């Protein structure tokens, strides 16, 4: 998969990102924790909804989960980042007929592609499933200066004071944020909190993520019971 963005995000979408972030207030939302997954049900549902190849991708995802169980956190990051960066980048409006749709990990695997939010979300929930603590992970909105676009990545903090590692679909190599001079952080969040970012650090705590509408909607759709069919078939 080529990790290049296909077009500039519209000014409207960028404004929506920032306004939603600034509108969050203090309250708690619990992001989906590690849970027991019904492999055969997930595979068969994705096959029936999206086709045979979707089932094969789901089985490959489960192999990643199984093979990564005994690995270090850094090795888990590498395996998950490599797996999802094989998927295709496709704009929301082309794929879903929606200018800003956050697909679930199962939808992303099912259709074999998505945009930067979908890459980051799929990596985030997969790493949670592998036992990475939620407080070490941040889904992060940035400005990608080399392409002059707003972009989303996943950041991993080994310790609260650590420089985060960046998992990205533009640059496939995991690097410390200090080595990503092309990314200017705007805000970041996980299932509990929101941070307004400063330079390459963790940022300033600005409340919780409960009132982030896209996040609440995503959480409601997790699993395979509310899968959406794409407007565009990628295979």
């Amino acid at each position: 998969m080529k990790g290049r963005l296909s077009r500039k995000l519209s000014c409207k979408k960028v404004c929506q990102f920032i306004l939603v972030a600034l509108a969050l207030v203090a309250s708690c939302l619990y992001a989906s924790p590690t849970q027991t997954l019904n492999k055969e049900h997930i595979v068969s549902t994705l096959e029936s909804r999206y086709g045979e190849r979707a089932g094969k991708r789901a089985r490959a995802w489960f192999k990643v989960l199984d093979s990564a169980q005994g690995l270090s956190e850094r090795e888990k990051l590498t395996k998950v980042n490599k797996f999802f960066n094989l998927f295709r980048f496709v704009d929301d409006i082309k794929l879903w007929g929606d200018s800003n749709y956050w697909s679930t990990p199962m939808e992303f695997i099912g259709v074999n592609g998505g945009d930067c939010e979908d890459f980051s979300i799929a990596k985030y929930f997969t790493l949670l499933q592998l036992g990475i603590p939620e407080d070490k992970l941040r889904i992060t909105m940035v400005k990608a200066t080399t392409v002059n676009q707003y972009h989303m990545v996943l950041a991993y903090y080994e310790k609260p004071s650590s420089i985060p590692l960046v998992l990205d679909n533009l640059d496939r190599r995991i690097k410390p944020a200090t080595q990503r001079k092309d990314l200017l952080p705007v805000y970041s969040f996980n299932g509990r909190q929101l941070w307004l970012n400063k330079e390459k650090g963790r940022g300033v705590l600005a409340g919780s993520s409960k009132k982030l509408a896209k996040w609440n909607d995503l959480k409601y759709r997790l699993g395979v019971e509310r899968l959406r069919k794409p407007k565009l078939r990628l295979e």
Side-chain angles (χ1 to χ4, degrees):
M1 184 218 71
K2 294 183 178 180
R4 299 176 58 189
L5 296 173
S6 63
R7 65 177 177 83
K8 292 184 179 180
L9 290 174
S10 67
C11 291
K12 180 179 179 181
K13 185 173 181 181
V14 170
C15 290
Q16 286 175 341
F17 279 135
I18 297 175
L19 288 175
V20 167
L22 294 176
L24 299 182
V25 298
S27 185
C28 184
L29 171 68
Y30 185 61
S32 185
T34 301
Q35 56 185 284
T36 301
L37 301 176
N38 187 328
K39 177 180 177 179
E40 293 309 316
H41 176 62
I42 290 173
V43 171
S44 63
T45 302
L46 291 186
E47 283 180 343
S48 64
R49 190 68 170 167
Y50 301 115
E52 182 180 356
R53 291 184 181 180
K56 291 181 179 179
R57 284 190 296 275
R59 291 189 184 280
W61 179 69
F62 274 105
K63 286 183 179 179
V64 169
L65 292 179
D66 292 340
S67 63
Q69 289 298 332
L71 300 180
S72 67
E73 289 189 352
R74 180 59 189 268
E75 290 170 328
K76 289 176 180 178
L77 297 180
T78 299
K79 185 174 284 288
V80 169
N81 192 57
K82 181 178 180 180
F83 175 76
F84 282 114
N85 281 348
L86 295 173
F87 286 61
R88 295 177 59 182
F89 179 90
V90 189
D91 286 319
D92 284 338
I93 194 67
K94 294 179 180 178
L95 183 58
W96 300 105
D98 186 326
S99 62
N100 187 19
Y101 181 70
W102 291 13
S103 66
T104 68
M106 294 298 98
E107 289 171 331
F108 186 57
I109 292 170
V111 302
N112 192 28
D115 68 1
C116 57
E117 297 98 331
D118 306 322
F119 281 89
S120 301
I121 289 166
K123 294 171 186 179
Y124 172 82
F125 280 105
T126 300
L127 290 169
L128 286 183
Q129 191 65 36
L130 286 172
I132 302 292
E134 183 181 54
D135 62 6
K136 292 187 175 184
L137 299 173
R138 302 282 183 270
I139 297 173
T140 306
M141 173 61 67
V142 299
K143 178 71 175 293
T145 60
T146 56
V147 289
N148 193 30
Q149 296 172 28
Y150 283 86
H151 181 51
M152 193 170 277
V153 299
L154 180 64
Y156 163 83
Y157 295 80
E158 184 178 9
K159 297 178 181 179
S161 60
S162 297
I163 296 297
L165 298 176
V166 178
L167 286 69
D168 187 12
N169 66 294
L170 281 178
D171 186 337
R172 299 184 183 186
R173 294 172 294 174
I174 297 175
K175 297 177 180 178
T178 49
Q179 293 182 20
R180 293 301 306 271
K181 305 297 185 182
D182 58 315
L183 303 181
L184 301 177
V186 179
Y187 72 89
S188 60
F189 66 96
N190 61 16
R192 298 179 186 275
Q193 303 289 355
L194 165 78
W195 290 262
L196 298 181
N197 288 74
K198 291 184 176 181
E199 300 301 328
K200 301 296 182 179
R202 176 180 290 270
V204 178
L205 186 63
S208 89
S209 55
K210 185 176 182 180
K211 290 195 174 181
L212 181 56
K214 291 291 183 182
W215 188 249
N216 285 326
D217 178 61
L218 173 72
K219 182 175 180 288
Y220 174 74
R221 293 182 287 105
L222 286 175
V224 293
E225 308 310 319
R226 300 179 180 88
L227 297 172
R228 181 170 172 175
K229 278 241 181 180
K231 178 181 178 181
L232 173 68
R233 291 185 62 88
L234 299 179
E235 53 193 20

